[in-house]
Amino acid sequence: MTLIQKQTADPYNGLRSAEPTLPSADYHDPERFRAEMDAIWSRNWINVCRSSDLDGPRTFRTVRIGTQEIVLLRDEAGVLRGFHNTCRHRGSALCTENEGRLKGRLLVCPYHSWSYATDGRLIGVPSKLLPPGFDKADHGLYRVAVEEWRGFVFVNLDERPARSAAETFDAGTVSLANWPLEDLTVGHRYVKRMQCNWKIFWENFNECLHCPNVHPELSNLVPIYGRGLMARHDDPHWEKHADDHSPEYSGGLRQGAETWSIDGKTHGPVFPRLSEAEREAGQSYATHLPSMFVVGHVDYVRSVRLMPVGPEETELTAEWLFPAEPLAAGNIDVDSIVAFGRLVLDQDAAICEINQRGLRSRRHREGVLMPEEYDVHRFQQWVRGEMRAADISKA
């Protein structure tokens, strides 16, 4: 659950001083929300769906990032492309359905029938006469950058981003190279609207001080979480137990547990390429700010995607991914796996909403971070840096 790898010879992870949080208004002020959507969500790669959600030539899907509606479309060769869902004539939406397959080879505006090839080129204009100097080549669809990474689709509203989606995973997170991400199938999808700012969810994700109170079942499964810690070196007195490899000190699942499920047991085939360390860890996180994290378990993969809806509302989409053949054959007990994951997510959502409610106090200008909240501090520093970078680029 670490966002940024610690660069120090001192193994203790914790903060050495009480650090101020972001201002409370940053979690509910509409102007701040709009600024973050411009500076962060419009300038970074955003996970929007799985590649399998666009299966075959001429399939399309619309997604929304803030106020911007995007059409994802596979061309005749199966290459995925992205455009603003806006006709170049008078700005009408092109796709009125959330997903589907084009009936023909062209994307046709429902208003005045301007038609576009699947690569975005303007092909047809029904006007009886084209104005002098009008060139169809100048009126193609507005492009956005699209990338597929191991079965996940990312969009960047900047048509020419400086780095790829793969290059912008957070430092210090695992590669998940031993999990066959691109070959897995969605066995369950869970969508939830949370009444909280998007940053509150990430902050909750990056500390476990809340785990003993909020997640009794998870704290039982991952004993170090029950101590309010994420890793051995979160404890300022870690040296006292440096040689103790029991899970309450070293991390990992409780003795006898194998994965995140209702009973801690696997309920499907174990991925064969995992290392011994990956099997013992019980959970391996890869984080891609600001929109997603992926967790590798020994028998399935779980992805969680965030999308801000408003200053105090965030949509969460969780997907449980499994090998296709045993899933289709009914050889995976999906319910036992999903039930545990949904329990944890619902507990997180509920406490995030409670956090949101308290931030409206006119007297609470900002909070304070405790030593164990070092990754919350790093996340907030990342937010501050993104906002500064956007201001510099505008200068």
Side-chain angles (χ1 to χ4, degrees):
M1 298 171 75
T2 302
L3 285 170
I4 304 170
Q5 190 155 11
K6 189 177 179 68
Q7 301 293 328
T8 177
D10 186 347
Y12 175 53
N13 290 328
L15 294 174
R16 300 308 179 96
S17 60
E19 298 289 342
T21 66
L22 296 171
S24 296
D26 286 7
Y27 299 87
H28 55 76
D29 178 67
E31 288 300 325
R32 175 67 181 197
F33 178 74
R34 282 190 286 269
E36 289 179 353
M37 294 305 297
D38 287 342
I40 296 175
W41 290 84
S42 295
R43 293 162 54 91
N44 283 286
W45 288 100
I46 307 300
N47 174 236
V48 292
C49 66
R50 289 282 291 171
S51 297
S52 57
D53 292 329
L54 294 122
D55 187 17
R58 302 200 303 276
T59 54
F60 70 88
R61 186 180 187 90
T62 59
V63 298
R64 180 175 288 274
I65 302 173
T67 61
Q68 303 302 296
E69 191 168 279
I70 305 302
V71 177
L72 299 174
L73 175 64
R74 289 207 185 274
D75 66 17
E76 297 294 336
V79 176
L80 188 59
R81 300 179 183 274
F83 311 101
H84 285 269
N85 190 22
T86 301
C87 180
R88 290 296 302 274
H89 176 209
R90 281 168 51 194
S92 171
L94 293 165
C95 291
T96 58
E97 298 177 348
N98 293 331
E99 58 185 306
R101 186 184 301 272
L102 298 182
K103 296 177 181 177
R105 295 179 178 273
L106 299 177
L107 180 59
V108 181
C109 178
Y111 197 3
H112 299 101
S113 298
W114 281 37
S115 58
Y116 302 86
T118 53
D119 63 3
R121 290 176 295 120
L122 177 61
I123 299 298
V125 177
S127 297
K128 304 301 185 290
L129 181 68
L130 295 181
F134 181 90
D135 188 343
K136 291 179 183 177
D138 297 331
H139 294 81
L141 296 178
Y142 301 111
R143 299 176 183 273
V144 298
V146 177
E147 283 191 10
E148 295 183 79
W149 175 83
R150 304 199 61 200
F152 293 94
V153 176
F154 288 83
V155 169
N156 196 315
L157 296 181
D158 184 346
E159 186 180 350
R160 296 180 178 84
R163 295 192 295 165
S164 69
E167 293 173 319
T168 48
F169 272 85
D170 297 306
T173 60
V174 299
S175 70
L176 299 178
N178 290 333
W179 280 266
L181 300 183
E182 48 272 273
D183 300 325
L184 301 181
T185 298
V186 177
H188 185 81
R189 178 179 288 118
Y190 181 46
V191 181
K192 185 180 186 69
R193 287 285 181 102
M194 303 181 295
Q195 302 307 305
C196 68
N197 184 271
W198 67 275
K199 299 189 295 299
I200 284 182
F201 184 88
W202 276 120
E203 291 168 5
N204 179 78
F205 172 83
N206 280 293
E207 52 92 354
C208 224
L209 277 178
H210 72 281
C211 289
N213 291 337
V214 176
H215 300 304
E217 299 83 2
L218 179 59
S219 295
N220 178 263
L221 180 65
V222 187
I224 200 168
Y225 291 176
R227 298 177 59 222
L229 306 173
M230 294 190 296
R232 180 189 291 275
H233 293 124
D234 291 5
D235 185 349
H237 308 296
W238 68 270
E239 290 177 307
K240 294 181 179 179
H241 308 283
D243 297 325
D244 191 334
H245 299 291
S246 56
E248 59 263 37
Y249 297 108
S250 63
L253 306 181
R254 68 170 183 260
Q255 187 172 3
E258 304 167 286
T259 193
W260 283 33
S261 65
I262 287 295
D263 58 6
K265 302 298 183 182
T266 57
H267 292 275
V270 173
F271 295 115
R273 293 176 52 195
L274 301 185
S275 68
E276 185 64 28
E278 288 168 335
R279 288 192 292 270
E280 290 181 356
Q283 60 275 322
S284 298
Y285 286 85
T287 308
H288 197 285
L289 291 174
S291 66
M292 77 172 303
F293 66 87
V294 186
V295 193
H297 300 281
V298 297
D299 54 339
Y300 68 97
V301 170
R302 179 167 49 99
S303 69
V304 175
R305 179 170 68 249
L306 298 179
M307 194 65 69
V309 179
E312 299 180 89
E313 186 173 13
T314 303
E315 184 174 271
L316 177 151
T317 302
E319 295 176 328
W320 284 259
L321 311 176
F322 304 93
E325 290 187 9
L327 181 66
N331 296 330
I332 299 175
D333 183 0
V334 174
D335 291 343
S336 292
I337 292 170
V338 170
F340 187 82
R342 285 185 57 162
L343 170 67
V344 174
L345 286 175
D346 285 342
Q347 290 168 338
D348 279 326
I351 202 64
C352 286
E353 291 179 344
I354 290 173
N355 192 172
Q356 182 72 43
R357 285 172 54 188
L359 288 168
R360 279 288 188 171
S361 168
R362 64 192 299 173
R363 299 193 52 192
H364 187 77
R365 303 298 178 86
E366 63 183 24
V368 59
L369 297 177
M370 294 292 101
E372 297 90 343
E373 295 168 305
Y374 58 92
D375 263 341
V376 178
H377 181 246
R378 294 177 190 171
F379 167 72
Q380 293 185 350
Q381 290 291 80
W382 178 83
V383 171
R384 292 179 177 111
E386 291 291 301
M387 299 302 289
R388 285 195 300 268
D391 287 341
I392 291 171
S393 70
K394 294 176 183 177

